[in-house]
């Protein structure tokens, strides 16, 4: 049984259903063959990861640059309205169906914290839909760095006044969260297996198929 001082969470993909690929498929259905849309959105995802590895910039710019690079790779037209439509959809997304009740349950016993690759004015729309009280919510904008960069996690530790040994970090992504958490010495990690990344036992995570498995990890 784990007894962390804080339970920290990735937000989009882990708690909020991340619909960027479905939105992109809808937008580009007039320019990409239906059979190729999955590969197109996979490339869009890969470019987003590449875009957040450098100096911080607003997430709207991350989306725009990623879409421009994807369109260039596919030799199709990029339109200014593309990024605007994708970005505008983010506040409308809701939680996975397994999220709200387990969050409320653990929030009664543990301080909950979000560390998100988001913006200060964007994240409240998503946090409100989670219906649980959060001790703190930190964004890449405040940290001036996106995950998977260590700087984002270090900002969170500094704000909480704690260290890697004090948290249980919960995420559905190895590439954005779990690998960096491992490198920083966060021993308590829960991987919510949403199916968009395979389980990698090297990183020593507690594998839970949904957030319903979280209360049991912390003795509830």
């Amino acid at each position: 049984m784990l007894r962390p001082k804080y339970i920290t969470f990735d937000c989009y993909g882990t708690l909020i259903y991340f619909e960027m690929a479905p939105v992109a498929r809808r937008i580009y259905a007039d320019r990409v063959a239906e059979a190729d849309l999955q590969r197109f959105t996979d490339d869009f995802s890969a470019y987003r990861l590449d875009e957040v590895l450098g100096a911080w910039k607003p997430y709207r710019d991350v989306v725009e640059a990623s879409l421009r690079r994807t369109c260039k790779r596919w030799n199709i037209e990029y339109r200014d309205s593309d990024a605007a439509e994708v970005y505008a959809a983010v506040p409308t997304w809701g939680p996975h169906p397994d999220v709200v009740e387990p969050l409320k349950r653990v929030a009664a016993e543990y301080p909950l914290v979000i560390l998100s690759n988001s913006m200060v004015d964007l994240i409240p729309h998503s946090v409100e839909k989670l219906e649980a009280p959060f001790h703190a919510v930190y964004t890449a904008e405040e940290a001036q760095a996106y995950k998977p960069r260590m700087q984002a996690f270090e900002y969170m530790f500094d704000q909480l006044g704690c260290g890697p040994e004090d948290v249980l970090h919960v995420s559905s992504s190895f590439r954005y969260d779990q690998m960096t958490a491992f490198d920083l010495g966060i021993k308590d990690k829960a991987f919510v297996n949403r199916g968009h990344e395979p389980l990698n036992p090297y990183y020593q995570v507690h594998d839970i198929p949904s957030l319903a498995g979280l209360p049991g990890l912390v003795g509830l």
Side-chain angles (χ1 to χ4, degrees):
M1 182 177 69
L2 308 178
R3 301 294 294 180
K5 289 183 181 178
Y6 300 98
I7 304 178
T8 60
F9 296 86
D10 167 59
C11 185
Y12 297 105
T14 302
L15 302 178
I16 295 292
Y17 177 53
F18 194 70
E19 300 185 60
M20 200 161 282
V23 173
R25 283 196 290 269
R26 184 179 70 246
I27 294 170
Y28 287 94
D30 65 337
R31 283 163 276 175
V32 179
E34 184 176 357
D36 293 331
L37 280 170
Q38 183 61 56
R39 288 194 301 114
F40 179 86
T41 57
D42 286 347
D43 288 344
F44 177 32
S45 176
Y47 280 123
R48 286 199 309 276
L49 177 59
D50 189 64
E51 285 291 326
V52 300
L53 294 177
W56 182 85
K57 57 189 171 186
Y59 195 66
R60 171 68 167 72
D61 295 351
V62 170
V63 172
E64 179 180 355
S66 303
L67 284 174
R68 284 186 182 277
R69 294 172 71 186
T70 307
C71 289
K72 180 180 179 181
R73 180 169 178 173
W74 282 74
N75 196 30
I76 62 173
E77 178 191 7
Y78 169 80
R79 302 167 189 162
D80 289 338
S81 60
D82 296 344
E85 187 172 347
V86 170
Y87 190 77
V90 176
T92 70
W93 301 340
H96 289 281
D98 61 288
V99 163
V100 171
E101 290 309 313
L103 271 187
K104 289 180 178 179
R105 190 173 171 191
V106 296
E109 299 292 336
Y110 293 93
L112 308 186
V113 177
I114 283 176
L115 178 63
S116 176
N117 279 359
S118 190
M119 301 286 289
V120 171
D121 64 345
L122 195 63
I123 195 68
H125 300 281
S126 299
V127 174
E128 181 183 13
K129 294 180 178 69
L130 298 173
E131 299 182 28
F134 280 85
H135 172 76
V137 177
Y138 303 120
T139 65
E141 181 179 7
E142 293 165 298
Q144 290 290 287
Y146 289 100
K147 298 177 296 180
R149 293 193 59 204
M150 289 182 176
Q151 181 178 328
F153 286 88
E154 290 168 338
Y155 175 83
M156 178 179 71
F157 294 146
D158 288 344
Q159 297 304 305
L160 293 174
C162 75
E165 69 279 2
D166 296 318
V167 306
L168 164 62
H169 190 66
V170 183
S171 174
S172 62
S173 174
F174 281 93
R175 298 185 79 178
Y176 278 94
D177 285 81
Q178 301 291 6
M179 292 179 180
T180 305
F182 177 86
D183 290 341
L184 282 169
I186 299 178
K187 297 188 182 304
D188 295 336
K189 301 178 292 295
F191 173 60
V192 186
N193 202 335
R194 298 288 185 201
H196 49 252
E197 290 186 26
L199 175 66
N200 189 329
Y202 175 83
Y203 293 99
Q204 301 170 14
V205 297
H206 296 272
D207 180 26
I208 53 177
S210 75
L211 213 71
L214 180 60
L217 280 182
V218 293
L220 301 178

